[in-house]
Amino acid sequence: RSCIEKVKMVKDQFLYGFTGRNSSAVEFFGGLIDDEINPTERINKLSYVQLIDILDKNFDVYKNKGVTEDFDTCAIICGPVEGRMQCTRYLIKPGEYEKRISVAEKGMKMVSSFLEKHLENFNINEDKEDIVMAIVDAFQVMVDKGIDFDESINNDIVAYFINEGCDRPYITQKLK
């Protein structure tokens, strides 16, 4: 099991996270993160929009040229664009290249996994009064079930929350 935290916060500006091979994620980010998936000084100077511009170019190269058989990553980057929160998801593995963008008008709930089976286990109880706790609970259930079949999961969980703020969305770390 990996002991590398696969979701990181860059200042309070944006989040990035991965599933799949760590080496593939490091290669996709091209010097913006280190081998432990930590942000480098270079990424700390970027806005979310600047980061997405760089990753879009990297994604296009992989899509046009292909990747090696052992390359696999699913990366999600979330950050503010014009006062709203946007999440960009890149799936890159041999023969499969997908970019998906989600934009939140108010709040956003998002989960992504390289293994589609995780998605079957992620069910939010929308009727709960505290929707944040409903999301945390759903995530915990997904991890508890996923640890049986996904070798990349350990039991160290960190949750990040996207807050509306007065002038822009911002991100805080809630649990560890």
Side-chain angles (χ1 to χ4, degrees):
R1 297 193 193 279
S2 173
C3 291
I4 294 176
E5 185 179 324
K6 291 190 173 188
V7 176
K8 300 287 183 167
M9 180 169 67
V10 177
K11 300 176 276 189
D12 70 343
Q13 295 293 314
F14 55 87
L15 294 171
Y16 62 89
F18 306 97
T19 61
R21 293 181 183 271
N22 293 343
S23 59
S24 298
V26 170
E27 182 182 324
F28 174 54
F29 267 61
L32 296 170
I33 58 175
D34 66 19
D35 290 342
E36 298 287 313
I37 314 294
N38 293 313
T40 64
E41 194 57 39
R42 190 170 154 220
I43 200 173
N44 285 324
K45 296 176 183 175
L46 298 175
S47 69
Y48 172 79
V49 173
Q50 291 168 322
L51 175 60
I52 295 303
D53 286 343
I54 292 168
L55 295 179
D56 280 351
K57 290 174 185 160
N58 294 351
F59 178 78
D60 288 341
V61 168
Y62 289 124
K63 189 175 178 181
N64 293 328
K65 292 187 176 181
V67 294
T68 60
E69 191 62 35
D70 63 343
F71 191 101
D72 66 64
T73 191
C74 182
I76 294 182
I77 304 89
C78 298
V81 175
E82 299 175 1
R84 297 182 306 188
M85 191 57 65
Q86 175 177 301
C87 287
T88 304
R89 175 184 182 262
Y90 300 92
L91 173 64
I92 307 168
K93 62 181 184 176
E96 195 170 343
Y97 307 91
E98 179 186 340
K99 177 185 172 189
R100 186 182 313 162
I101 297 172
S102 303
V103 178
E105 294 298 326
K106 291 190 178 187
M108 178 174 279
K109 298 172 278 191
M110 185 171 196
V111 64
S112 181
S113 173
F114 188 69
L115 298 174
E116 292 298 317
K117 187 168 181 174
H118 285 303
L119 299 178
E120 297 169 15
N121 296 323
F122 187 74
N123 299 302
I124 298 170
N125 181 354
E126 302 279 348
D127 296 328
K128 274 194 168 180
E129 189 172 314
D130 186 349
I131 194 66
V132 170
M133 283 311 299
I135 294 168
V136 171
D137 292 345
F139 184 70
Q140 183 65 58
V141 168
M142 181 184 73
V143 170
D144 290 345
K145 290 180 178 180
I147 203 163
D148 291 333
F149 62 85
D150 186 343
E151 291 295 315
S152 71
I153 294 177
N154 61 26
N155 60 358
D156 296 324
I157 297 173
V158 178
Y160 294 92
F161 293 90
I162 300 168
N163 306 286
E164 285 191 36
C166 295
D167 58 343
R168 65 172 173 80
Y170 65 97
I171 301 165
T172 55
Q173 184 175 340
K174 174 95 174 190
L175 307 169
K176 187 162 187 172

